Amino acid sequence: MQSPPIPSRPVADGDAGPPLPPTSSPADNGTTSHPNGTLQQLPHILIIGVRKGGTRALIEMLSLHSSVAAAQNEVHFFDWESHFQRGLPWYLSQMPYAFPDQLTVEKTPAYFTSSKVPKRIHQMNPDIKLLLILRDPTERVLSDYTQVFYNRLQKHKRYQPIESVLVKDGEINLGYKALNRSLYYVHMQNWLQYFPLESIHIVDGDELIRDPLPEMKKVERFLKLEPQINASNFYFNKTKGFYCLRDHGRERCLHDSKGRAHPHVAPAILQKLYQFFHEPNKKFFELVGQTFNWK
């Protein structure tokens, strides 16, 4: 269900109330406007991944900026055929109502690892700005498993112990999808066939958790946004063990499903994972001209 159309930022006292229903169908320029001056626009920015990399934290932190309007849900337009077949007018209808000077952002973490997505996005807008948030590949695999584990637990479904999905016949199980999602080098090669490196900003997901402000200042610069996000927007929640957000006096934290403890993994298996990712990580660093503090 689509939520009622409202501007993405709080409306100040004395401002116009909620917009009236659209007066026109989507225009050729990819917008649908409303009488109070807000409009739906195709995204100027896409957070393309990676799953369990910190995409929810990134879009929440980016939404602190008054020039950004964020889609509330993962739209899965470019990777789900059933959605893509509906065309750009449908995609536009999923965007938030924003003021003309705001940039619209949508995030779907599955975009990064879907081979058909880069071409489709390039066809929509070759000049779009792409944000990619990555974590240590081994940590990302463990987070991926943890999410599936809790989902199955809640549905009272059986789950496989982590060792049995990571290792098969004494070797790393190459058939485990979560491993493929952490082979950043493979997926990045596909994106660079369609977009120059200058169009893709890589956010260090491990650093964003540890100290969010420096990473968000880099994002502001990449998007050419007026510097706005500052230290007062973040406070460390000792109970949760990570940073929460403060926006116009309101405080909010990420959902409880974020930051869950990973299952214990035998040191020998962890070592196998670190070794498995060592070479792909090296190739990725060379590809993007950037290094990360991954094990």
Side-chain angles (χ1 to χ4, degrees), residues 124-136:
M124 177 188 76
N125 180 4
D127 300 315
I128 200 164
K129 296 286 187 186
L130 304 172
L131 294 174
L132 171 64
I133 180 165
L134 300 176
R135 291 172 66 194
D136 181 303

Side-chain angles (χ1 to χ4, degrees), residues 136-138 140-141 178-184 187 277 281:
D136 181 303
T138 298
R140 200 219 62 79
V141 167
L179 285 171
N180 176 268
R181 294 187 193 109
S182 279
L183 291 172
Y184 305 145
H187 305 296
F277 286 120
N281 288 350

Side-chain angles (χ1 to χ4, degrees), residues 143-156:
S143 284
D144 205 315
Y145 171 85
T146 304
Q147 177 172 302
V148 174
F149 168 81
Y150 277 102
N151 286 347
R152 294 188 74 82
L153 210 60
Q154 284 166 358
K155 293 172 185 173
H156 306 289

Side-chain angles (χ1 to χ4, degrees), residues 10-261:
V11 178
D13 291 340
D15 282 359
L20 300 171
T23 53
S24 64
S25 58
D28 290 337
N29 62 355
T31 64
T32 302
S33 59
H34 280 76
N36 79 335
T38 61
L39 68 163
Q40 285 172 301
Q41 306 177 82
L42 288 171
H44 308 87
I45 309 157
L46 279 177
I47 297 174
I48 57 173
V50 61
R51 172 175 152 134
K52 307 313 296 175
T55 57
R56 173 49 60 189
L58 179 58
I59 201 168
E60 291 284 345
M61 291 175 187
L62 192 52
S63 298
L64 292 166
H65 202 290
S66 63
S67 295
V68 172
Q72 291 304 303
N73 302 313
E74 294 176 5
V75 183
H76 285 280
F77 177 65
F78 297 101
D79 62 322
W80 287 3
E81 290 305 317
S82 58
H83 286 179
F84 189 69
Q85 296 306 324
R86 296 180 181 187
L88 285 176
W90 178 84
Y91 187 43
L92 177 62
S93 76
Q94 306 303 302
M95 294 302 116
Y97 282 81
F99 292 103
D101 60 347
Q102 288 183 305
L103 298 175
T104 295
V105 58
E106 187 251 309
K107 79 129 180 144
T108 299
Y111 288 163
F112 180 59
T113 54
S114 177
S115 59
K116 61 200 167 190
V117 166
K119 184 180 180 181
R120 290 175 170 183
I121 292 173
H122 187 267
Q123 285 171 340
M124 177 188 76
N125 180 4
D127 300 315
I128 200 164
K129 296 286 187 186
L130 304 172
L131 294 174
L132 171 64
I133 180 165
L134 300 176
R135 291 172 66 194
D136 181 303
T138 298
E139 289 297 311
R140 200 219 62 79
V141 167
L142 299 181
S143 284
D144 205 315
Y145 171 85
T146 304
Q147 177 172 302
V148 174
F149 168 81
Y150 277 102
N151 286 347
R152 294 188 74 82
L153 210 60
Q154 284 166 358
K155 293 172 185 173
H156 306 289
K157 289 184 176 179
R158 289 181 63 188
Y159 60 87
Q160 291 177 280
I162 190 161
E163 283 84 2
S164 67
V165 294
L166 287 175
V167 176
K168 196 174 182 182
D169 301 325
E171 295 301 323
I172 290 294
N173 178 15
L174 300 177
Y176 183 37
K177 284 182 182 175
L179 285 171
N180 176 268
R181 294 187 193 109
S182 279
L183 291 172
Y184 305 145
Y185 163 73
V186 174
H187 305 296
M188 194 65 170
Q189 278 185 311
N190 191 29
W191 285 87
L192 292 177
Q193 285 184 46
Y194 297 93
F195 293 96
L197 201 51
E198 298 74 50
S199 295
I200 308 171
H201 177 71
I202 303 171
V203 179
D204 187 327
D206 299 306
E207 283 302 315
L208 191 76
I209 295 165
R210 277 193 288 269
D211 188 10
L213 185 58
E215 284 301 312
M216 291 312 299
K217 298 312 283 181
K218 290 176 194 171
V219 171
E220 276 184 333
R221 287 195 292 273
F222 171 72
L223 298 175
K224 295 182 170 56
L225 293 171
E226 174 196 338
Q228 242 183 49
I229 300 170
N230 59 66
S232 68
N233 289 129
F234 305 99
Y235 68 96
F236 191 77
N237 185 310
K238 288 181 181 175
T239 310
K240 289 181 174 288
F242 51 76
Y243 281 89
C244 295
L245 311 183
R246 194 180 282 120
D247 186 14
H248 292 85
R250 293 174 304 161
E251 296 182 351
R252 66 181 193 273
C253 288
L254 296 179
H255 191 267
D256 286 343
S257 65
K258 307 299 177 185
R260 285 171 172 154

